[in-house]
């Protein structure tokens, strides 16, 4: 069980991860990514595709979801970042 920030102190019970892969393209989202990941239900696979952020986005993502996989990708657009993990996604 974990306490989710912004959930008014309520404890969220761990559930069986949903059988899917979630891909989140990021670029300098350190201020937002933690909040998003805290609100997400457990999933079988979480892939962060980062466009070489310089604000610690990947570090923050791993602080909130240590199991997340990270792919660093040159800044080539959101569409490219969204397509990149399809070759490695397992769920």
């Amino acid at each position: 069980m974990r306490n989710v920030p912004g959930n008014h102190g309520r404890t969220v019970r761990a559930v069986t991860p949903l059988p899917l892969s979630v891909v989140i393209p990021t670029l300098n989202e350190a201020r937002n990514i933690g909040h998003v990941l805290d609100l997400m239900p457990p999933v079988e696979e979480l892939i962060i595709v980062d466009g070489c952020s310089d604000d610690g986005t990947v570090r923050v993502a791993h602080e909130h979801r240590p199991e997340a996989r990270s792919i660093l990708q040159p800044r080539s657009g959101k569409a490219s970042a969204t397509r990149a993990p399809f070759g490695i996604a397992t769920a």
Side-chain angles (χ1 to χ4, degrees):
M1 292 196 298
R2 62 186 176 139
N3 187 11
V4 177
N7 205 20
H8 306 291
R10 291 179 284 174
T11 300
V12 176
R13 294 192 181 274
V15 296
T16 303
L18 297 172
L20 53 94
S21 295
V22 173
V23 175
I24 302 177
T26 61
L27 178 59
N28 294 325
E29 291 291 342
R31 293 181 60 199
N32 302 311
I33 192 73
H35 178 71
V36 170
L37 295 176
D38 286 344
L39 294 175
M40 251 181 57
V43 294
E44 188 171 315
E45 182 175 42
L46 175 59
I47 302 172
I48 306 294
V49 182
D50 188 71
C52 300
S53 295
D54 58 12
D55 69 345
T57 297
V58 173
R59 178 186 50 78
V60 173
H62 285 284
E63 287 173 0
H64 289 263
R65 290 288 182 103
E67 75 280 9
R69 295 172 67 184
S70 300
I71 299 173
L72 295 180
Q73 181 171 357
R75 296 180 186 181
S76 54
K78 187 183 283 189
S80 177
T82 304
R83 286 190 306 266
F86 282 114
I88 64 167
T90 60

